[in-house]
Amino acid sequence: MVSAFSDEVTQAAQALARGELIGLPTETVYGLAGDALNPKAAAAIFSAKGRPADHPLIVHLGDASQVTVFARAVPVAAEKLMTAFWPGPLTLILPRREGVADAAAGGHATVALRCPSHPVAQQLLQAAHRLGVQGVAAPSANLYGRVSPTTAAHVRQAFPSLRVLDGGACTVGIESTIVDCSQDIPMLLRPGMLTLAELSHVCSVPLSLPRASHTPAPAAPGNKASHYAPRAKLRVMSVQEMVSRLPSLLKLALWTRQTIETPEGVIQLTMPSDAAACAHDLFARLHELDAWGVQEIWVETPPMGQQWDGVRDRLQRASA
Ligand code: TXA
Ligand code: MG
């Protein structure tokens, strides 16, 4: 029988079925992927990233019909969100079926599920499913605490010996929006490119937000105050503040919407004024500026408004 999948996809699916890890392109960021039901694969993901084993992984599915393999119940809000946004950049936290994907879920009573829209991710998930892989656990393919990868080259930098499926530059550029549907009222745990207003509209109830003092259980890396950090020191400030502080530093890069007068040697890159374009560029810029060896990166404070929540969140953590 002739396979519907390319050789790369078929071989990557076979690697997953053997319990190996691969680099997986998705529309948000690249993932470090392994069979979600294979405890050894999950352990290998935690150890490769240097991530504590109780920080749960997101399980990726080819389509919504596979949700009940992992989830014990699917609340109405989750149904509505899946219908509206899957496949796409949305992760749902649901009550976990007992004994299923314990290692990937870090032993927590809930499981994070997401159906990515990237065509290569879709092909891989379908090919792997035919080989008996029912879900693919994948955190972002970066070392713990570092900048997430949005190209295959970023993944190869972090994991030189990993088999990486190249799906081009990620179109979204920041991680999926995470909504916890395991409680009575759905809660926005991680902002992404879907706005609070859109999500609330689809659920027909206003989503709640974690209180500032409240670390959502389970404590998870994307929720740590400091995350996504480049090697350079990152600061977020207004253009006025930049102008007043400028001359003091040598290897400095600015990422601003407006161009400002700078001393020679200061790198100035244009920050898109559209939130989606800015999310798309964000991690790629941080990787690029780190590769240039700048000491500091000054980023202009993003505009207000919900479309910017995801970008603002990543910048806050990267500068923490
Ligand atoms: O866009 C994405 O979501 C990317 C791509 C590869 O799909 N993946 C990703 O995974 O960002 P990672 O491991 O870097 O972030 C996963 C986040 C954790 O930080 C945590 O906040 C949340 O998922 N998470 C996973 N399981 C959870 C659970 N049971 N309860 C609450 N949060 C959970
Ligand atoms: Mg991550």
Side-chain angles (χ1 to χ4, degrees), residues 24-32 49 51 55-60 89-94 96 104-106 108-114 116 138-142 148 174-178 180 182 189-190 216-224 227-228 314:
L24 172 70
T26 82
E27 68 279 20
T28 56
V29 301
Y30 275 71
L32 179 63
K49 269 188 74 98
R51 173 165 168 163
H55 287 189
L57 308 175
I58 296 174
V59 178
H60 297 66
L90 174 69
T91 296
L92 299 176
I93 308 294
L94 296 173
R96 185 165 61 91
H108 295 285
T110 51
V111 63
L113 299 174
R114 145 160 156 75
S140 51
N142 51 278
S148 303
I174 62 172
E175 296 83 352
S176 58
T177 302
I178 302 182
D180 184 352
S182 69
L189 286 188
R190 178 171 74 182
N223 295 321
K224 271 201 335 180
H227 206 66
Y228 315 113
R314 302 307 184 280

Side-chain angles (χ1 to χ4, degrees), residues 47-206:
S47 113
K49 269 188 74 98
R51 173 165 168 163
D54 60 348
H55 287 189
L57 308 175
I58 296 174
V59 178
H60 297 66
L61 307 173
D63 71 83
S65 68
Q66 288 153 248
V67 162
T68 48
V69 174
F70 294 88
R72 172 165 52 76
V74 185
V76 180
E79 288 279 6
K80 290 178 173 172
L81 290 169
M82 283 175 346
T83 306
F85 299 115
W86 277 13
L90 174 69
T91 296
L92 299 176
I93 308 294
L94 296 173
R96 185 165 61 91
R97 238 180 227 292
E98 215 173 310
V100 173
D102 280 317
H108 295 285
T110 51
V111 63
L113 299 174
R114 145 160 156 75
C115 176
S117 63
H118 193 294
V120 177
Q122 275 290 330
Q123 286 162 30
L124 188 269
L125 289 167
Q126 282 162 29
H129 193 258
R130 291 191 194 174
L131 300 176
V133 177
Q134 308 211 56
V136 170
S140 51
N142 51 278
L143 297 176
Y144 184 59
R146 306 311 301 270
V147 180
S148 303
T150 57
T151 65
H154 296 158
V155 182
R156 291 194 189 103
Q157 247 168 45
F159 303 104
S161 59
L162 186 72
R163 176 199 295 274
V164 184
L165 273 178
D166 192 340
C170 301
T171 53
V172 176
I174 62 172
E175 296 83 352
S176 58
T177 302
I178 302 182
V179 179
D180 184 352
C181 294
S182 69
Q183 309 292 320
D184 290 344
I185 303 205
M187 186 188 280
L188 179 64
L189 286 188
R190 178 171 74 182
M193 288 316 287
L194 305 173
T195 64
L196 189 63
E198 280 176 282
L199 296 161
S200 300
H201 175 76
V202 164
C203 289
S204 325
V205 289

Side-chain angles (χ1 to χ4, degrees), residues 180-315:
D180 184 352
C181 294
S182 69
Q183 309 292 320
D184 290 344
I185 303 205
M187 186 188 280
L188 179 64
L189 286 188
R190 178 171 74 182
M193 288 316 287
L194 305 173
T195 64
L196 189 63
E198 280 176 282
L199 296 161
S200 300
H201 175 76
V202 164
C203 289
S204 325
V205 289
L207 263 62
S208 65
L209 290 171
R211 273 172 283 124
S213 60
H214 159 109
T215 314
N223 295 321
K224 271 201 335 180
S226 169
H227 206 66
Y228 315 113
R231 276 190 293 274
K233 173 78 197 142
L234 188 129
R235 302 179 195 278
V236 181
M237 64 184 87
S238 69
V239 158
Q240 287 76 5
E241 194 180 346
M242 285 183 191
V243 171
S244 72
R245 294 172 61 157
L246 253 181
S248 61
L249 223 108
L250 269 178
K251 284 191 153 186
L252 170 67
L254 308 184
W255 200 40
T256 55
R257 293 186 296 287
Q258 53 175 287
T259 309
I260 56 181
E261 198 60 38
T262 57
E264 208 183 323
V266 173
I267 299 166
Q268 197 167 169
L269 300 172
T270 308
M271 179 183 193
S273 52
D274 163 76
C278 192
H280 174 270
D281 290 0
L282 172 62
F283 290 140
R285 285 298 186 215
L286 299 186
H287 279 288
E288 187 183 349
L289 292 170
D290 263 348
W292 290 350
V294 302
Q295 291 164 308
E296 294 207 6
I297 304 169
W298 295 0
V299 177
E300 184 179 354
T301 313
M304 296 308 291
Q306 285 184 11
Q307 321 87 278
W308 290 89
D309 283 354
V311 167
R312 204 176 301 107
D313 170 79
R314 302 307 184 280
L315 283 173

